[in-house]
């Protein structure tokens, strides 16, 4: 599976939760490795793929391929995603791309989802821009419904 994005992720070192925390606090989000590349995909698209697989297993039994990839076709850098998050957040959200370290460049291979598309009739429903907007909308709703005493 590709790098999943979506609301509700509060993983300490994940890109989106870190960006959101900075935006909520009115701080600049400083990136360490903006040139790292990932195949970003909304978690609901991955779940839809798993549901297609479950349905196919139920209907056809274990005669399916041994593995399926549920990933977006295209990749984007961490810096591109962080900048898109800031645009989606609005309200003076800032991203500092920094220099990054060439030695820490991380490129996640493109995952080929053709088998899942042809065998399970699955495809990604959201482009990256829409997935990021949905994600930011979730976090804004979450933080707006909380009082400062509970944060």
């Amino acid at each position: 599976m590709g790098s999943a994005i979506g609301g509700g992720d509060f993983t300490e070192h994940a890109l989106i939760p870190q960006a959101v925390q900075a935006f909520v606090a009115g701080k600049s989000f400083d990136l360490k490795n903006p040139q790292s590349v990932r195949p970003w995909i909304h978690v609901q698209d991955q779940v839809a793929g798993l549901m297609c697989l479950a349905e196919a297993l139920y209907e056809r039994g274990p005669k399916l391929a041994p593995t399926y990839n549920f990933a977006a076709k295209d990749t984007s850098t961490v810096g591109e995603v962080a900048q898109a998050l800031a645009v989606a957040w609005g309200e003076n959200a800032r991203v500092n791309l920094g220099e990054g370290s060439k030695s820490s460049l991380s490129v996640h291979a493109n995952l080929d989802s053709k088998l899942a598309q042809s065998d399970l009739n699955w495809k990604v429903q959201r482009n990256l821009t829409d997935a990021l907007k949905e994600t930011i909308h979730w976090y804004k709703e979450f933080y707006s419904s909380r009082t400062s005493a509970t944060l």
Side-chain angles (χ1 to χ4, degrees), residues 45-60 64 68 70 116-117 119-123 125:
D45 285 325
Q46 289 180 324
V47 169
L50 293 172
M51 294 302 291
C52 287
L53 177 57
E55 184 177 340
L57 284 169
Y58 177 77
E59 292 174 354
R60 295 184 256 167
L64 298 171
Y68 291 93
F70 301 107
Q117 292 167 8
D119 208 19
L120 304 174
N121 198 28
W122 171 84
K123 66 179 182 176
Q125 298 296 312

Side-chain angles (χ1 to χ4, degrees), residues 6-141:
D9 182 1
F10 293 100
T11 307
E12 184 178 349
H13 297 291
L15 176 74
I16 293 174
Q18 287 182 347
V20 168
Q21 288 175 358
F23 300 160
V24 167
K27 298 179 180 177
S28 178
F29 177 47
D30 299 327
L31 290 175
K32 296 175 186 160
N33 300 303
Q35 71 281 2
S36 293
V37 178
R38 306 276 187 278
W40 307 95
I41 184 171
H42 197 280
V43 67
Q44 289 181 351
D45 285 325
Q46 289 180 324
V47 169
L50 293 172
M51 294 302 291
C52 287
L53 177 57
E55 184 177 340
L57 284 169
Y58 177 77
E59 292 174 354
R60 295 184 256 167
K63 296 178 183 176
L64 298 171
T67 60
Y68 291 93
N69 289 320
F70 301 107
K73 179 180 174 184
D74 299 321
T75 59
S76 296
T77 67
V78 168
E80 292 166 338
V81 168
Q83 288 176 315
L85 287 169
V87 169
W89 187 270
E91 303 173 22
N92 301 318
R94 299 178 317 279
V95 173
N96 177 13
L97 296 178
E99 293 292 320
S101 168
K102 300 274 187 217
S103 64
S104 62
L105 175 63
S106 172
V107 178
H108 288 237
N110 282 344
L111 298 174
D112 187 350
S113 296
K114 289 178 187 170
L115 186 58
Q117 292 167 8
S118 64
D119 208 19
L120 304 174
N121 198 28
W122 171 84
K123 66 179 182 176
V124 173
Q125 298 296 312
R126 295 159 185 81
N127 64 38
L128 180 59
T129 301
D130 291 341
L132 292 172
K133 285 179 183 177
E134 282 184 41
T135 301
I136 288 300
H137 176 75
W138 189 95
Y139 282 103
K140 282 188 161 194
E141 287 291 315

